[in-house]
Amino acid sequence: MISATEIDIQTGGEFARPNYLSEHSVRSWLLTTDHKRIGILYLFTILFFFAIASVAAALMRIELLYPTGGLMTSETYNKLFTIHGTLMVWFFLIPSIPAVLGNFVLPMMLGARDVAFPKLNLTSWYLFVLGGAFATWSLIRGGVDTGWTFYTPYSTTYANSHVISMAAGVFVAGFATIITGINFIVTTHKMRAPGLTWFRLPLFVWSLYATSLMMVLATPVLAMTLGLISLERIWGVGIFDPNLGGDPILFQHMFWFYSHPAVYIMILPGMGVVSELIACFSRKRVYGYGWVACASMAIAILGFLVWGHHMFVSSQSVYAGMIFSALSFLVAVPSGVKVFNWTATLRKGSIHFATPMLYALGFIGLFVIGGLTGLFLATLSVDVHVHDTYFIIAHFHYIMVGGMVTGFMGGLHYWWPKITGRLYPELWGKLAALATFLGFNLTFFPLFVLGYLGQPRRYHVYPPEFQVFHVLSTAGASILGVGYVMPLIYFIWSAKHGRVAGPNPWRATGLEWQTSSPPPTHNFKVTPVVTSDPYNYSPEKDADLDLASI
Amino acid sequence: METATHPAKIYWRNCAALMLLLALTCIIGYINLGMFNVIIALAIAIIKATLVALFFMHIKGSSRLLHLAMTVGLIWLLIMLSFTLTDYFTRGWVPLNH
Amino acid sequence: MNTTSNMSVGFVAEQFDDFQQQRGAAQFGMWIFLATEVLFFGGLFLAYTVFRSLYPGDFVAASHHTVVAIGGINTAILLFSSTLMALAVRAAELRNQKQLIRLLVGTAFFGIIFMILKGVEYYKDWNDHLVPVLNFEWHQPNPGHAQIFFWLYFAMTGLHAIHVTVGICIMLVFAVIARTGKFTSGHFTPIEIAGLYWHFVDIVWIFLFPLLYLAGHR
C-alpha cells in the first residue's frame, strides 16, 4: 500500500490527516475493523484470484486456436475451465463489487461511521482468505475437472480430481458472503444518517441491499449442497446416484436454487454502480428513481423463482419447465425498466465522456445484448437447441464480464479518487475503457454464432470450419487482456504520483463525497444530515463543467 | 434502555403448553390415521414452533422488522420446497414412449 | 447523533449512536442469521421431503427403527431448557446476576443431557446396524431407500447436534463472563441474542421429531 507519510511529503500535506491510510503497520491492516480497509484487503485478494482465473482463460483461448487441440490433454482442458469458472464466480465476481466497493462506500453513503458489525466484517475477509486457501490447495494438488457446477453423479462418484477441497473452499467463502450480506442489510436498516429516508438512498445502496438479500437467503443452500457432495464422495450413500435410489436432479434443484440468485448477485451491484455513474456524468437526476430502486428488489425476488430454466434438458418435468420458463420472462420487466430509465436519464443531460461514464455506457450496451439473449434461453424450445453450447457461454459472459466487470471497473475509476485521494490519468483510462469494450465484443460475439451453429461448451476439439470464429475470439481476448492490464499499471502509478483529487473531483452528490479523500477513520467529523433527494444535479448549472478532461 | 420485562409466569405457562402438545403428538403418532398422521404431526409441530417464537423469542410485541426477517426466511423455505416439488409431482404426467 | 452520547454508556460500540440502535441492530442481525439457518437446514428438509414423497413406504418402515422414547424425552428436555433460557434473558434484564448464572448453567446442563441421550441413541443405532455404509444391514425390501432415510436421519440430527454443542459452549462461556457482572448492568443484549439462537435450535428439533421418529410408529 502507499504510505501516507510519503504522500504528505510529496504534496505538502494536501490530504486531510489522519485518514484511514495513515497507519501502515502490517498489524494495523490485519487487525483492522475499518470497512474501508477491509474493502482494500478484499480488493487485493480478489485481484489475486482474478489473475489465476484469467491465466486459465488465456490458456484455453490459446488452445482453441487450432481445431485439433494438441497443446494440452482433454483432462487439462477440463481442469482449466473448472479453475476459470470456480475462481471467477466465487473468488472474484461475487465479492467484486459488494465486498470491495460496497464495503468501501456503503457506510459512507449512509452517513454511518462503520458497518453494523465491524469485527464480523473482518471475520468475513479471513473466512474468504481461508476459503481461497482451500481452493488454491485443490489447484496445487492437481485441480478439479467437474466444471464450476459440480454436477452429480460425476462430481460425487466418477471424478478423480480434488473435489472436496474445492467444495470446502467454496463452502467457507460462502460464509464470508453471508456475513457481508447480513452486515449490509443491518447497516442499511439501522444506521442511516438523520433525514436519509429509504427513497433518498443512492441506487447503489438499493442494489447492494437487494444483492445482500440474495446472499443471505441463497448461499446457505449452496453450503448444504456442497456439504452433501463432499459427504457423498466420502461415504457414497447415493442420494444423488440413481443406481442407489438417489436423484441427481435433486442436486441440480439445490444447486440452482443458489446459483440462479447468484448470477444476479453477479449483475445487480453492477447495475447499482451504473446508476450512480449515469446520474453523475449526465448531471441529472436518475429518471424514475423509485422504479429503478424497486426494480432491484424485483430482480432479487424474481431471481429465486426461475432456477429451473437451467434444467430444461435435464429430466425435470415439462410442466415445471413451463412454469420456470414463464417466470424467467418476467425478469426482463425490471431489467428493461432499468435500461430504459438509464437511457431516459441521458436524455437532455449534460453528458461528460469521462472514463467511468465510458464504462457505464459500455455496460448498458453489453447488458442489453446479454439480457436479450437471456430471453432466447428462457424459451423452452430454443433452449433445447442451444443448451450447453457456446451461445450460453456468450450470453452469460455478456452479463458477467460485459456487465459486472465493466461495472466494477467503472466504479473503481469513479471512487478511486476517494479511495486513494488521487486521480488516475484520464487519457489512459479512456484508452483502457475502449480496449475492454472492443476486446470484449470481439472475444464473445463470435461465440454467439458458434453456439447457434452447434459448438458445444467444454470441448477443446471442434470441426475445422469453426476455426475462424475461435481465432477472432482469441484475438479479442488479447485486446481484452491489454484493457485489463492497463488500469492495473496506471492505478498503481497514480496511487503515488496521481494528481491530488480533493474531496469531490466529480462534483458529485452523495454523502461519500462530503468527506475528505482519503476519508478519516470514522468517515465523517460530524454526522451528516440529509435534507434533499438523491442525485440533486442540474445540467444547466454544470454546463461549464468539464469532467472528461479532469 | 428499559425493556418491558415479562413475568416469569408466561414462560412456565408456555412450557406447560409445549409439553402438552408434545404428549398429544406422541399419542396421535401411535394411532393409524393414514396420511393424516403426517399432517397432524406437522400441524402440531408448527403450533409448537409458533409458541416458541411468540413467547420465548418475543416475536409477540417485537418490531415489524423482526417479523419481516422471520417471515422472509420461512417464505423462502416454502419457495424452495414448493417449486422443487412442482417438478417431482408433475414428472409422471407425461407418458413416456420407450 | 454525535459521538459524545456514546461516552455515557460504556458498552455501546463506536459505530452506534446509542444502546437502542445497537440492540436493534444485534437483534435484527441475529434474525437474519436465523433466516440463513432456516435455509441451511432447509436443504436437508428439502431432500427429506423429496425422498419421502418418492419412497413413502420405505421411509415409514425405516423410521420404525428409530427410538421414539429417546426422541420424545429429548424433545421435552430441549423444550424445558428453552424455558430456562427465556428465564435467563429475563434475569439479565432484571440485573439478577446470581439467577442469570444459575439459569445459564441449567440451560447448558439440559443441553448436555440431550447430547448424552443422543449418544446413547447413536450407540444403539450402531448395534442395530443402522449406520449407512459403515455397518448397514436391512432385511426388508429396498435397502437403498432405507439407507437414504438413515443417511438423512444422521445428517439432520448430526447437524442439529453440532448446533446444540455450539449452544452449550456459548451458555457456559456466558455463565463464566456473567460472574463479572457484565450482563447484569444493562448490557443484556448478548444473552438475548444467544437465547434467540438456542430457541431456534429447539424449533429445528420440534420438526425433526415428528419427521424422523413419529413417521414410522403407527
Side-chain angles (χ1 to χ4, degrees):
Chain A
M1 247 348 273
I2 50 160
S3 123
T5 0
E6 274 174 89
I7 291 169
D8 279 7
I9 292 162
Q10 284 167 6
T11 60
E14 285 175 71
F15 287 169
R17 288 202 67 191
N19 60 50
Y20 81 103
L21 294 168
S22 294
E23 263 190 278
H24 5 78
S25 65
V26 173
R27 190 189 147 86
S28 76
W29 278 94
L30 293 182
L31 295 180
T32 184
T33 51
D34 186 332
H35 65 96
K36 300 182 286 300
R37 285 186 159 220
I38 293 168
I40 305 249
L41 289 174
Y42 257 114
L43 176 65
F44 283 101
T45 323
I46 66 165
L47 284 182
F48 171 74
F49 290 108
F50 180 72
I52 301 179
S54 302
V55 169
L59 288 173
M60 280 192 287
R61 277 306 348 149
I62 293 169
E63 166 75 357
L64 289 167
L65 276 174
Y66 296 100
T68 47
L71 192 66
M72 56 188 72
T73 62
S74 306
E75 204 172 47
T76 313
Y77 185 79
N78 291 349
K79 285 179 177 171
L80 281 178
F81 68 66
T82 307
I83 292 170
H84 176 70
T86 31
L87 293 191
M88 281 294 192
V89 168
W90 283 298
F91 295 97
F92 174 70
L93 280 169
I94 288 187
S96 62
I97 293 183
V100 177
L101 298 176
N103 249 332
F104 197 93
V105 295
L106 179 95
M108 281 194 273
M109 282 184 154
L110 298 174
R113 287 184 284 278
D114 207 320
V115 291
F117 312 115
K119 283 179 201 152
L120 278 177
N121 204 15
L122 181 65
T123 314
S124 157
W125 179 71
Y126 275 103
L127 284 175
F128 184 70
V129 171
L130 181 66
F134 272 113
T136 316
W137 174 238
S138 159
L139 299 187
I140 291 170
R141 286 165 72 210
V144 187
D145 63 347
T146 59
W148 77 281
T149 47
F150 295 110
Y151 265 23
T152 56
Y154 183 70
S155 62
T156 47
T157 315
Y158 304 106
N160 286 319
S161 50
H162 302 279
V163 177
I164 293 181
S165 44
M166 183 58 91
V170 176
F171 182 93
V172 175
F175 286 98
T177 311
I178 291 175
I179 293 175
T180 303
I182 292 178
N183 242 327
F184 284 2
I185 292 178
V186 176
T187 309
T188 309
H189 270 280
K190 293 286 181 187
M191 307 185 69
R192 282 171 282 127
L196 189 53
T197 57
W198 279 90
F199 282 94
R200 281 178 177 173
L201 288 175
L203 287 166
F204 185 47
V205 174
W206 273 103
S207 77
L208 283 175
Y209 182 80
T211 307
S212 304
L213 189 74
M214 291 189 288
M215 287 173 162
V216 160
L217 294 169
T219 319
V221 180
L222 173 77
M224 181 51 72
T225 316
L226 293 171
L228 287 176
I229 284 187
S230 302
L231 294 177
E232 274 296 297
R233 270 184 82 82
I234 298 170
W235 279 301
V237 176
I239 60 167
F240 299 133
D241 187 345
N243 288 328
L244 298 170
D247 185 12
I249 305 301
L250 176 64
F251 165 82
Q252 295 187 22
H253 277 299
M254 291 172 76
F255 181 80
W256 289 113
F257 178 84
Y258 161 78
S259 284
H260 193 75
V263 303
Y264 292 168
I265 294 175
M266 293 182 258
I267 186 64
L268 261 177
M271 294 171 156
V273 170
V274 167
S275 302
E276 298 294 314
L277 301 184
I278 296 281
C280 175
F281 293 98
S282 48
R283 314 308 295 172
K284 270 185 73 188
R285 281 166 197 264
V286 172
Y287 180 84
Y289 164 89
W291 288 94
V292 180
C294 293
S296 289
M297 296 307 291
I299 290 174
I301 292 166
L302 284 173
F304 278 96
L305 309 177
V306 299
W307 77 80
H309 67 215
H310 296 268
M311 301 159 60
F312 285 159
V313 301
S314 68
S315 60
Q316 178 186 239
S317 140
V318 183
Y319 300 98
M322 287 175 184
I323 295 172
F324 281 124
S325 170
L327 287 167
S328 302
F329 285 115
L330 282 185
V331 180
V333 176
S335 309
V337 164
K338 282 184 178 263
V339 171
F340 285 121
N341 284 11
W342 290 325
T343 323
T345 308
L346 293 172
R347 186 172 171 272
K348 289 193 174 172
S350 149
I351 296 174
H352 300 260
F353 291 101
T355 309
M357 185 59 158
L358 294 185
Y359 280 111
L361 295 174
F363 175 101
I364 297 178
L366 300 178
F367 174 73
V368 165
I369 298 178
L372 290 179
T373 49
L375 291 178
F376 297 19
L377 297 168
T379 315
L380 263 169
S381 49
V382 178
D383 184 71
V384 172
H385 176 60
V386 293
H387 189 90
D388 262 349
T389 67
Y390 270 43
F391 194 88
I392 301 276
I393 307 290
H395 156 69
F396 74 71
H397 278 88
Y398 263 83
I399 299 287
M400 291 181 188
V401 185
M404 188 71 162
V405 181
T406 305
F408 179 62
M409 295 302 285
L412 202 56
H413 282 85
Y414 180 61
W415 283 299
W416 189 251
K418 185 53 63 182
I419 295 172
T420 61
R422 286 172 185 276
L423 287 161
Y424 58 87
E426 180 65 29
L427 177 68
W428 286 100
K430 284 192 183 110
L431 284 175
L434 213 62
T436 44
F437 184 77
L438 296 176
F440 175 83
N441 279 302
L442 189 55
T443 312
F444 291 104
F445 202 83
L447 302 193
F448 276 126
V449 184
L450 273 178
Y452 186 76
L453 294 176
Q455 155 112 44
R457 67 193 287 196
R458 295 180 172 175
Y459 285 82
H460 69 135
V461 180
Y462 55 84
E465 60 264 34
F466 288 165
Q467 191 178 13
V468 60
F469 297 107
H470 279 290
V471 170
L472 283 175
S473 178
T474 304
S478 330
I479 302 174
L480 188 61
V482 172
Y484 286 147
V485 170
M486 275 162 60
L488 189 70
I489 297 167
Y490 64 70
F491 272 147
I492 294 172
W493 176 87
S494 72
K496 220 168 184 173
H497 307 287
R499 277 179 30 232
V500 173
N504 190 1
W506 311 119
R507 287 169 59 188
T509 65
L511 295 178
E512 80 270 27
W513 300 107
Q514 289 186 15
T515 185
S516 51
S517 312
T521 298
H522 285 297
N523 298 343
F524 300 99
K525 294 210 172 69
V526 184
T527 303
V529 177
V530 181
T531 51
S532 64
D533 288 343
Y535 310 116
N536 213 354
Y537 296 106
S538 63
E540 300 81 28
K541 201 179 72 190
D542 293 341
D544 57 325
L545 200 65
D546 186 10
L547 295 174
S549 58
I550 198 160
Chain B
M1 179 117 348
E2 68 291 334
T3 42
T5 311
H6 305 273
K9 210 163 62 183
I10 289 181
Y11 300 124
W12 288 117
R13 261 191 212 154
N14 198 33
C15 181
L18 287 167
M19 295 296 179
L20 278 178
L21 284 167
L22 172 63
L24 185 68
T25 193
C26 286
I27 294 165
I28 294 176
Y30 280 92
I31 307 167
N32 191 350
L33 299 168
M35 64 174 289
F36 287 102
N37 276 96
V38 188
I39 294 170
I40 293 173
L42 281 178
I44 293 178
I46 290 169
I47 295 170
K48 278 157 78 185
T50 313
L51 287 178
V52 171
L54 278 179
F55 298 105
F56 287 166
M57 301 171 94
H58 300 125
I59 268 297
K60 186 166 181 278
S62 69
S63 66
R64 269 162 57 201
L65 188 59
L66 299 191
H67 295 199
L68 183 73
M70 186 187 72
T71 320
V72 162
L74 296 176
I75 289 176
W76 257 251
L77 179 67
L78 282 180
I79 290 174
M80 182 166 72
L81 290 172
S82 56
F83 274 63
T84 308
L85 291 177
T86 54
D87 171 20
Y88 284 92
F89 288 170
T90 59
R91 272 191 202 174
W93 289 9
V94 184
L96 294 171
N97 305 314
H98 284 298
Chain C
M1 288 300 157
N2 54 42
T3 39
T4 50
S5 67
N6 291 351
M7 303 307 161
S8 57
V9 193
F11 48 74
V12 174
E14 55 199 353
Q15 70 271 24
F16 294 114
D17 293 325
D18 52 34
F19 172 76
Q20 278 308 340
Q21 190 189 27
Q22 170 161 315
R23 180 172 173 231
Q27 280 183 332
F28 184 44
M30 192 62 195
W31 273 101
I32 300 172
F33 174 72
L34 294 185
T36 72
E37 285 272 36
V38 165
L39 281 140
F40 189 53
F41 277 97
L44 285 173
F45 278 100
L46 174 69
Y48 177 90
T49 313
V50 163
F51 286 117
R52 182 159 180 183
S53 69
L54 288 178
Y55 314 126
D58 299 323
F59 262 47
V60 168
S63 165
H64 194 68
H65 291 258
T66 55
V67 193
V68 181
I70 296 185
I73 292 168
N74 260 346
T75 315
I77 287 172
L78 271 195
L79 290 173
F80 188 70
S81 96
S82 246
T83 314
L84 295 186
M85 185 69 232
L87 290 165
V89 177
R90 181 173 174 273
E93 285 176 15
L94 294 173
R95 308 189 180 200
N96 187 337
Q97 185 177 340
K98 217 180 210 171
Q99 206 184 19
L100 171 66
I101 295 172
R102 256 191 242 143
L103 285 164
L104 284 176
V105 172
T107 306
F109 174 77
F110 283 103
I112 292 167
I113 300 283
F114 174 92
M115 289 301 292
I116 291 172
L117 285 175
K118 199 86 217 108
V120 171
E121 195 187 352
Y122 281 167
Y123 181 70
K124 192 176 170 305
D125 293 334
W126 175 265
N127 285 338
D128 292 349
H129 297 281
L130 294 173
V131 182
V133 181
L134 299 179
N135 75 347
F136 197 73
E137 281 174 30
W138 193 252
H139 305 293
Q140 285 160 272
N142 299 325
H145 301 170
Q147 188 166 258
I148 288 177
F149 173 86
F150 276 101
W151 169 242
L152 288 170
Y153 159 84
F154 277 106
M156 291 168 111
T157 56
L159 184 65
H160 179 262
I162 293 171
H163 280 78
V164 174
T165 312
V166 170
I168 292 169
C169 295
I170 293 174
M171 296 317 151
L172 291 177
V173 169
F174 277 12
V176 172
I177 299 175
R179 289 162 62 100
T180 64
K182 190 183 171 192
F183 302 129
T184 36
S185 54
H187 186 37
F188 55 85
T189 313
I191 304 289
E192 201 177 18
I193 301 304
L196 289 178
Y197 172 82
W198 191 255
H199 299 312
F200 167 78
V201 173
D202 190 16
I203 287 178
V204 172
W205 186 262
I206 286 175
F207 284 96
L208 289 184
F209 175 60
L211 290 178
L212 295 175
Y213 292 84
L214 288 178
H217 293 270
R218 47 171 138 125

